[in-house]
Amino acid sequence: MSADLTKLDNPAWHALTERHAPFAMGTHDLKRYDPRIVLFAGFDRSKKNMAEQFDAVLNPGESFFLFDDYPPLPPGYEVETVVQCLQMVCESPVSVTITQQIVSLDASYHEEMYALVSKVFPGYYLPGTPVMGDYYGIFKDGKLVAMAGERLCMDGLTEISAVVTHPDHSGRKYAQQLVTYLNDKNLQSGHVPFLHTGSSNERAIKVYELLGYEKRRIIPVTKIKRMS
């Protein structure tokens, strides 16, 4: 299966103008998600002077994340953080045997999902994030102990995200089984899975490589705040 991987150089923009267009806020050339869902934004890279439109999508005190390069910031804006992410793509998955019951996580599980992700990766998952795609989990003794789901969705490509396991249940291949399940689901639907992980997270990178993911590029994700 092939997909236009060049979209991944500007993933939020392509998601917000394609499969996730219903979530888009902003202008014709600069769009962001509802900040209750996720803080990602993207812009048409063929246009110039895009920073002049930042005021149209950010109120004072608000922030958004931009992938890759961004235009020079106007007065009243500052960079809060920059995270170097490794972008990986899975066109030829390697299946892991699924031994656990995988449960579809509907709205009744949202609070438990938020608590689990916030425990492992605080700050990168919001209460509204689950509306971006399908999420699945593994339960033990009635408690959610592992989950994974879909985040940025565009034509031909789906981001696998929120891959987390409770520390008390690590080492049992729960994450591998959930990612395998999501890989199969998306490839059968004609969407190539991709993901982002910390560029120095060697443990996660090795796991994803075992599942058939290949390194594509390092992509910076910059959090920009409007001060005034």
Side-chain angles (χ1 to χ4, degrees):
M1 181 178 296
S2 61
D4 181 3
L5 299 185
T6 63
K7 291 182 180 181
L8 299 183
D9 293 329
N10 196 5
W13 171 254
H14 287 288
L16 287 164
T17 55
E18 296 176 359
R19 289 167 62 198
H20 276 177
F23 298 130
M25 304 170 60
T27 70
H28 184 269
D29 300 321
L30 172 64
K31 301 183 186 298
R32 69 171 300 180
Y33 284 89
D34 184 317
R36 294 169 295 183
I37 296 173
V38 74
L39 298 184
F40 292 151
F43 59 93
D44 184 344
R45 295 188 179 277
S46 69
K47 303 297 176 66
K48 297 181 179 180
N49 303 319
M50 289 305 305
E52 296 177 1
Q53 297 188 35
F54 281 9
D55 283 359
V57 300
L58 276 182
N59 294 317
E62 290 186 332
S63 303
F64 59 28
F65 288 96
L66 292 176
F67 286 87
D68 208 4
D69 297 332
Y70 56 90
L73 298 181
Y77 285 81
E78 69 173 18
V79 171
E80 288 191 274
T81 59
V82 181
V83 178
Q84 299 296 329
C85 290
L86 175 63
Q87 192 176 78
M88 305 183 75
V89 180
C90 184
E91 295 182 278
S92 301
V94 176
S95 293
V96 169
T97 300
I98 295 177
T99 62
Q100 302 298 314
Q101 180 182 6
I102 292 179
V103 178
S104 177
L105 301 174
D106 60 23
S108 66
Y109 296 109
H110 284 185
E111 288 188 14
E112 197 169 358
M113 294 160 64
Y114 180 73
L116 177 59
V117 182
S118 297
K119 179 179 182 63
V120 181
F121 296 119
Y124 288 94
Y125 179 95
L126 302 177
T129 299
V131 303
M132 299 177 76
D134 294 331
Y135 284 75
Y136 299 91
I138 294 172
F139 288 78
K140 293 298 173 183
D141 299 323
K143 295 183 179 180
L144 181 67
V145 299
M147 62 175 278
E150 300 164 341
R151 192 166 60 173
L152 294 171
C153 297
M154 63 199 80
D155 295 343
L157 293 153
T158 300
E159 183 190 23
I160 308 304
S161 183
V163 182
V164 296
T165 301
H166 192 284
D168 293 343
H169 296 264
S170 62
R172 304 178 190 182
K173 296 189 176 180
Y174 293 166
Q176 291 94 316
Q177 293 183 47
L178 288 163
V179 172
T180 291
Y181 187 90
L182 283 161
N183 286 346
D184 292 345
K185 169 187 178 289
N186 277 284
L187 289 166
Q188 290 171 14
S189 300
H191 301 121
V192 172
F194 71 99
L195 57 81
H196 297 97
T197 189
S199 59
S200 61
N201 190 347
E202 293 298 331
R203 182 175 180 274
I205 293 167
K206 289 178 180 177
V207 170
Y208 293 132
E209 287 178 327
L210 289 172
L211 297 175
Y213 281 80
E214 296 184 353
K215 298 174 182 177
R216 180 173 182 267
R217 61 164 293 193
I218 300 293
I219 187 167
V221 182
T222 304
K223 189 176 186 181
I224 294 171
K225 183 174 184 178
R226 181 180 176 185
M227 304 300 295
S228 60

